[in-house]
Amino acid sequence: MLVEQDVTEITVGTYIVKITLQTGSFRLTEAEWVKNEVVLNKLIELGIKRVLVDTEKFDAQMAADAAALGSNILESKQEFNVKMTQAKALISTSKNVQRKIFQHIKEGAEIDLCSVKNLTTELIDTLFTNSDALMCAINIRKKDEYLLEHSFAVSTLMALFSRYLGIEKTIIRELAIGAFLHDIGKIRTPDHILHKPGKLTTDEFGIMKLHVNHSIDIVKSISGISRTSLDIVGLHHEKLNGDGYPYGFAGQQISRFGRMLSICDIYDALTADRCYKEGLTQLKSFGILRNLAQSGQLDLDLVNAFIKCMGVYPVGSLVRLNSNRLAIVEGHNQADPIHPKVNSFYSLDKRDFEHSNKIDLSMVDDEIAQSVRADDFDLDMEEITRFLVSEA
């Protein structure tokens, strides 16, 4: 019997004949059983809303087998990937919010602060319950829309850093809002400068620096914006030695929150792929942050605290193990920070993907040899993400 059902109502063992309603453009090439929970999560992620199922072909044994896969490793693997799917959906929502803000600026319309508040509230709630998966999703995202993704990433880093420092949740929310809006003035920077693949000339850099002034003007015009949010927008390019912009503030003229946002902003810019450079590993980026602090540009105490907050090997970073396999960091070991929890997925000896394996490095005779990037091995993060989700 053919029955149309909401995708949230189907279970493992269901036989799907065709898709009847979706927000995307996914095509089901042939009728198929839903073999596991990951497939269900993928259907939801693809925007599929309703499907036509054949109730007479329901596979009860498949459903029972799926329920019987009760090992802790498999359960934790599925749980993490489900959480990461939710985190990726939050990133997608943030990009839509940012697009609408840019459109409102272009049209001269009033910016809706409510959508930003709702987004940052969800972000903070996710950080307090699901921080590892959110950071993992940010670090392994396909960074092809830098301006849109940078704002959300910096907002997330700022919230995570603030939480680590013990700042109260109401203030974290204002900091996350300011961080999300910190680069909004770049909408008024000419594209040929904003996306120039080479080094900017002196005149071009002068125009680029004006994005902070534009951000201040735009954020100041938003009804209901807090002073805390506005202040950090104007301070994220100031340097302790007075060489920053737009004010040329130095030392105590730069608030603690402004110093924190500068660190988060630089860190994401260093690790991200740009039109004119490849991103750096997290460890190399930490080294640059420390050098900037030691030269008087950043707050050294806060840089050290940020590195501790992120962990020696940040969640979502790629590492090469002594066993010559690639792995992704999925969790910290607070008592043993140089031996995090990882998920290995690629054999460098065979130059091929292998069954993923969750490993607590504090419990096995294998260690991290070095931090790496997917590009180092002609891999891309989208390919890695798809594999890890399928492996779950």
Side-chain angles (χ1 to χ4, degrees):
M1 180 179 179
L2 298 180
V3 178
E4 187 178 18
Q5 292 184 339
D6 191 279
V7 72
T8 59
E9 298 174 350
I10 65 176
T11 62
V12 174
T14 299
Y15 190 76
I16 298 179
V17 177
K18 70 176 182 178
I19 298 166
T20 57
L21 179 65
Q22 63 174 314
T23 58
S25 56
F26 179 76
R27 294 185 63 185
L28 187 67
T29 55
E30 60 182 12
E32 186 59 272
W33 278 278
V34 176
K35 295 182 175 66
N36 52 52
E37 293 288 342
V38 176
V39 174
L40 284 177
N41 293 325
K42 192 64 179 177
L43 292 174
I44 296 172
E45 182 185 346
L46 290 169
I48 295 168
K49 301 297 184 183
R50 296 184 66 79
V51 292
L52 189 67
V53 305
D54 188 338
T55 58
E56 294 180 1
K57 292 186 176 182
F58 178 79
D59 193 323
Q61 186 59 50
M62 186 181 294
D65 290 344
L69 291 176
S71 73
N72 291 332
I73 292 177
L74 183 59
E75 287 180 3
S76 63
K77 193 184 287 187
Q78 290 182 341
E79 180 184 0
F80 188 86
N81 279 280
V82 168
K83 286 182 176 180
M84 214 168 77
T85 298
Q86 296 168 344
K88 288 169 69 176
L90 182 57
I91 295 173
S92 178
T93 299
S94 79
K95 289 162 70 172
N96 290 332
V97 170
Q98 191 84 323
R99 287 191 187 96
K100 289 179 182 178
I101 290 175
F102 285 154
Q103 188 62 36
H104 289 164
I105 294 171
K106 289 178 180 179
E107 296 172 352
E110 183 177 353
I111 296 174
D112 178 21
L113 183 61
C114 184
S115 62
V116 180
K117 286 185 174 181
N118 290 339
L119 174 68
T120 52
T121 296
E122 186 176 356
L123 182 160
I124 292 167
D125 289 344
T126 303
L127 269 181
F128 273 76
T129 59
N130 185 19
S131 61
D132 281 352
L134 181 56
M135 290 307 301
C136 196
I138 286 177
N139 282 323
I140 70 173
R141 72 192 191 271
K142 184 178 180 181
K143 302 175 183 181
D144 56 352
E145 295 180 288
Y146 175 73
L147 184 56
L148 295 176
E149 295 175 345
H150 176 65
S151 297
F152 182 76
V154 173
S155 184
T156 301
L157 290 168
M158 188 67 173
L160 184 73
F161 192 20
S162 301
R163 180 191 177 195
Y164 176 81
L165 294 176
I167 295 170
E168 61 181 86
K169 199 170 182 179
T170 54
I171 302 299
I172 294 178
R173 184 183 184 190
E174 302 305 323
L175 295 174
I177 290 171
F180 186 76
L181 299 171
H182 80 285
D183 265 350
I184 201 170
K186 284 185 176 177
I187 192 65
R188 293 179 178 168
T189 303
D191 282 347
H192 73 277
I193 294 177
L194 189 61
H195 303 298
K196 183 177 178 179
K199 185 178 180 180
L200 298 178
T201 66
T202 301
D203 289 342
E204 288 171 339
F205 186 57
I207 295 172
M208 174 65 84
K209 291 195 295 185
L210 291 175
H211 81 271
V212 182
N213 303 77
H214 297 320
S215 292
I216 294 169
D217 292 340
I218 293 169
V219 174
K220 191 182 293 183
S221 71
I222 300 176
S223 177
I225 199 74
S226 74
R227 187 71 201 179
T228 299
S229 298
L230 176 60
D231 282 348
I232 63 171
V233 168
L235 294 173
H236 73 277
H237 277 299
E238 299 293 344
K239 298 177 181 177
L240 292 184
N241 60 8
D243 287 342
Y245 58 90
Y247 305 115
F249 283 168
Q252 295 304 314
Q253 290 178 296
I254 307 171
S255 70
R256 186 182 187 221
F257 296 153
R259 300 178 191 200
M260 291 167 58
L261 181 56
S262 180
I263 293 168
C264 296
D265 180 46
I266 293 172
Y267 175 78
D268 190 69
L270 288 172
T271 55
D273 290 330
R274 308 287 290 276
C275 58
Y276 53 85
K277 74 167 187 70
E278 290 185 347
L280 302 176
T281 65
Q282 286 83 354
L283 280 183
K284 287 183 180 178
S285 299
F286 289 157
I288 291 174
L289 287 175
R290 284 186 58 83
N291 288 338
L292 291 173
Q294 290 165 350
S295 67
Q297 298 182 48
L298 300 176
D299 186 310
L300 182 57
D301 289 339
L302 284 176
V303 166
N304 288 335
F306 178 77
I307 294 171
K308 290 180 181 178
C309 168
M310 296 298 293
V312 179
Y313 299 104
V315 171
S317 62
L318 290 184
V319 293
R320 181 175 67 83
L321 303 178
N322 282 343
S323 56
N324 214 25
R325 292 174 293 167
L326 297 183
I328 187 167
V329 178
E330 288 193 350
H332 295 140
N333 275 319
Q334 297 299 335
D336 192 0
I338 65 172
H339 295 108
K341 298 170 184 176
V342 303
N343 190 0
S344 70
F345 62 88
Y346 191 88
S347 168
L348 289 172
D349 293 329
K350 299 176 182 177
R351 286 284 170 175
D352 199 5
F353 288 92
E354 60 183 11
H355 286 303
S356 64
N357 183 25
K358 295 179 78 71
I359 308 168
D360 185 338
L361 291 177
S362 67
M363 305 292 289
V364 299
D365 188 23
D366 200 357
E367 294 191 352
I368 292 174
Q370 65 181 136
S371 293
V372 296
R373 286 174 45 82
D375 297 343
D376 298 337
F377 308 96
D378 296 323
L379 298 172
D380 68 67
M381 292 310 302
E382 281 290 298
E383 181 183 16
I384 291 172
T385 303
R386 285 195 298 270
F387 177 78
L388 290 175
V389 170
S390 68
E391 276 291 288

